[in-house]
Amino acid sequence: YNIEMLKKLRGSMIKVEFAKVLGISKQRYQFIENGRYKEIPLSVVQKLKDRYDLTPEQVLELIGIK
């Protein structure tokens, strides 16, 4: 998945705030951002899509499909 895009979406929010937005723990978010998970959980992708009004193309880019 696209870690740089994920960081861009987080913007100036600290990790704990962004994790709350996504409904996950700070530790789980850190694992995602640091690439320790091979995939972003679908529930997180859905929350990102809804919060940032991502297009289908942006969602595919986020999860690493171009």
Side-chain angles (χ1 to χ4, degrees), residues 10-66:
R10 180 168 61 88
S12 63
M13 251 190 264
I14 62 173
K15 290 179 182 180
V16 69
E17 290 173 339
F18 199 55
K20 280 185 183 181
V21 165
L22 300 177
I24 59 176
S25 69
K26 176 186 171 192
Q27 181 180 15
R28 187 169 188 192
Y29 177 74
Q30 285 179 305
F31 284 172
I32 292 170
E33 191 174 280
N34 293 333
R36 292 184 67 188
Y37 284 150
K38 297 199 185 295
E39 298 176 349
I40 298 176
L42 185 56
S43 61
V44 172
V45 173
Q46 183 65 44
K47 287 180 182 170
L48 287 167
K49 179 191 164 302
D50 293 344
R51 178 169 176 101
Y52 295 99
D53 198 29
L54 300 178
T55 65
E57 292 80 14
Q58 290 170 316
V59 170
L60 291 175
E61 182 181 343
L62 177 63
I63 61 174
I65 301 172
K66 294 183 181 183

